[in-house]
Structure formats: structure tokens, C-alpha cells
Amino acid sequence: MPKAKSVRTLNIRLLRKGRKPENAFSPSFVPGEPRALQQRSWDGIDGASLYIGQVYSNPPGWAEFIEQGSADLPADMLTSGAGAVIFVPVKDRFAAICFGHAHIALNDDAFERQFGLKVTLNTVPRDKLRTLDLATPDAVTFQKRVQASKDSDVQAFGVDVIRDLARVAGGTPKNSAFARFVAGKDALSITCTVEPGDLQAKCAEVINAYGKVDYRKEFAWVDNMRLVLEKDTIADLDAKLFAAITDLLVGKNSDLHMAPPEIVNYVEGNQLHYNGFGSHGVNFHSLSIQDYIAELERCGFAGDMAELKEKHRIKAKGDGEDEFAEKWRVYDCFVFETSLGAGADEQHYVLFAGDWYCVEKKFKKIIEDFYNDIEKVTIIGATTCKNERDLIADIEATRVDLLKLDQQKINPAGVRYANLEPCDFFSKDKQFIHLKDGNSSGSISHLWSQGVVSAEAFVSDADFRKKLRKTVKDLGGGFEAGLPKAGEKVVRDDFKVVYGIMRQPYADGTLGLPFFSKVSLQTAASRIEQFGIPVALELIQKPASDKAAEKEAEE
């Protein structure tokens, strides 16, 4: 009776096209270096090779602390980790099967990104998922891991198919002969029956699964956006970014702009400095690509992208603070869209909060089409106010057709919407107007959420509507006539949610939103429209940057 094959869990990666095993290691582990793993042959597979050895061997990090209480310690205490990697040829590619701590010795940039994820989603049905890691990129990127106690449908994992990135997936394959369980991100963890002599056949199965596009039937959203990690691609994209900076330096237009990479309590009374290239404390009051370019010109900056990325910083201090403190890298504040390739090979990319994202062309078109189709209104119009607080005060003083509800908090029944601000202004035309200074994409995303919560409370909570009407009546002006009385039916399409975003113009004078703000807007607007309430958008032009305003005045 033949011996049953063993069930093993293998960790498999795939070298990028054109890469060879000797190019797969990080600099200190490449063949010929002191820390290089020893190369051995691998019997039974032509062209296969084994690299094996001690990946690290160091004194334990806690030894110094222990020595303070007991000096007479063994001299040979080491923490160590061995590793091995078998490179298996499959047609014109190489699969790398890793053991132990071999991953430490590898150069991640030499391997295919999302290899393990794609294999998993091509082989696991949507109702056989066990674990899913998601990330929602925004001014603050949220990451979450959802694990099920048994195989479950993707819908149970709470995926937002518009906004979420799939990072890791795991589940039970449809074909049990292929594997009992698979999970992966860049590397694939596969639990299957396999012996050493089966490795090439199993790697061929895995690579064949990677090349399929079956996942697009049930997991098409994973192609919407992908975090770019390949160093050579990032270098090409950074070159495009630097070209845009160079264009601005010589007076050409560019869509490059700046926004804080995180949600901040951003008040224009704060002072900012652009540092790291010989500048000497010129004060600015908001992030602006025009101001940054003006500082580069003033200081005669002649460096390259590497210098800019490494050394250029933004320092800030708020009202009442004595010292400027480092806030962000300049690079982390760039918001930029570009593409690489041409024709069918063209790929779109977005730089946001210091990371590049590859955006699938069809998805980008869906987002842009939705944004273009949203009703654009002019209620506030261009303003000379520099920030949100000044704008709200100006509207309250000059617009009798708009009722200020900013800072008016309403507690509906229960606790779900406790201390909810219904909007910033309510109009005689039954518009709930939400305003935000759009210098930060984070604050914009927060605004979308405010509109959703307010709209949901209005249509679903009678107690909220009753208290809202009383608040509006007490403020005077007869605006309560536009709100339903207690017991009256809400005619939802009589109302409208209007998002008003203060934005500085781009270099060419146009107004717009960052791509990821458009993505989160689509999610919010779609939700509000499900309540039966229309949504509109107003981009409110605010004064240009300090230097741009000075230049315009000079002209």
C-alpha cells in the first residue's frame, strides 16, 4: 500500500518576469556577500536551486538590561534564525518556496505584488472566505481584519467595494485537490498534500491559478486601487512628480497641489514654514503649492527628487505656541495624479499622503463620471474669507435667506445620533448646507459623513424632526415653514443636501477635489440618495495663497 502524502503548508512567492534567483536577495544577502546563504543543488528538477543558511544570529536585545542586575551572564547567548528558499523553474518564471526566516533575506521588490491575494481569490469562491484584511485609504487610512469562525460569504465581511483595498484574503478552495486552505497577500500560504518530488507540479498549478482572471467575477473591486510598493515604479512616478514641480518653477501649469496628510484642527491663523532647502523662516498661513514653489525659487533650489523627498519638511505652530515644530514631510502633502505607459498598457496613479496608488482605468472613469454628474450649485459663491469660521460669520451677517444651524446640537430619541449638528445652514429652498474648508482631504471626508448622518436622522427619526423644527422656529425668520410638522409625511425629494467645499484654485485657475475625496463623496452621496434626498456640490473659491495673492497684486 503506497504511503499517503503528507499535508504541508508552503509559503510561495513568484519572481517578477525577467528576474533570476541570484537577483532575488536584499543587498546584504546577495551571492558573494558575507551574509549570503549557501547555494545547493535541488535534485529532480532541472534548473532548481536551494539557498540555505543562518539568516541572522545576534545577541538578544534584552541582554543589556539583564546585565545591569547580573553581570555574570553566558557569553554565547544568541537569538538566531535559519532559513531556506527553493527556486523552482516553471516555464519562464521562478517560484520561490520559503522556509523559516528566509523572507528576511529576500528583496521584496524582486517579487510579484498581490501574488498570494490573486491566487486566493481565483481559487476560493466568494462564500468560502475565512479571513479578509481591508484598508480604506484616506487622510487617515483605516485598516481592519475580519475573521469568520467558518467559511462565509464576502458580503458578511462588510466590504465597501468603492473605497476598500483588499490586502489579505484566506479561505477554502473550490478544488480540494489543489489545496485544503490558502491565504495570501504578496506571498501565498497554501496547505496541501505535497512531497519534495511534487514541488514543480504544485508550483505550476499555483502560477496557473495566479494567471487567471476568475476573481473578476466575484471580487472585481480588488482591482479598483492598489498600493504601489515596487521601488522601480515609484521611482518612475516620482520622476513624473518632479517634472510637475519643474513645470511650476518655470511658470507652467500643473494639477499638483498640497493637502495635510492627516485630519488636523487646521486654522488659518496658524503659521507654517517650508524648511530643508536653505529657507529662513518666511511665514505662511496655509499649505499651498504656489507658496512652496515660491520658496524654492527664492532659495534657488537646484536639488533633485531624492533631496526633496528626504529633506524638505513643513514646520508649524499654532496661536499661543512659541516654537515651530516639525509637522510633515513636504512629500507627504503632495496630491498628484499621473499615468505610466500608453494605449492599452496605460495605468493611472494617485499620490496621496505619501503613498502611490494604482487606479484601475474603469474604476477611475466610474468615479469621475459620478463626480461630474453630481449637481453643481452656486449658493455661497466665491468668497474673500480665508477660513470656514470667517465664512460662516460672513454668511450669518449678510444672507437673510440662510439660517445658521452651526453649533446647534440636537439629541434625537435614543443615543444613535446624540449631539448631532443638522447642518451649517438651512435655506428657504429646503437645502441642508454643510460647509468645510477643503484644504485637508481629511476634513472633507469628515464632512461627507456629517451629511450622511444628518440625512439619515432626518428621514428616519420623528423625534429628531420635531426637535429640529422647534430649534429652527426658536431662531426666527420663518424657516420652520420648510420643515414637516409632527405627524406630517416627509416629502424627501423636496429637500436637498448641499456640500459646500472651500478650495483654493489650482495653478490654472480651476477648482477641483482630490481623487480620494471624490471616492469618499461617491460613497456618501449614494447613501444619501438611497434615503430619497438629492445631493448637490458647491466648490467655493477662497483666496489664493499668500504668494499668489502678492503676485496678482503686483500685476
Side-chain angles (χ1 to χ4, degrees), residues 238 241 331 334-337 349-357:
D238 282 349
L241 170 64
Y331 184 84
F334 287 137
V335 181
F336 186 57
E337 298 181 29
Y349 298 87
V350 174
L351 175 63
F352 184 78
D355 287 317
W356 283 101
Y357 294 86

Side-chain angles (χ1 to χ4, degrees), residues 380 385 390-402 425:
I380 309 301
C385 297
D390 289 349
L391 178 63
I392 289 175
D394 181 65
I395 294 172
E396 183 182 20
T398 61
R399 297 290 294 269
V400 297
D401 58 326
L402 301 178
F425 289 91

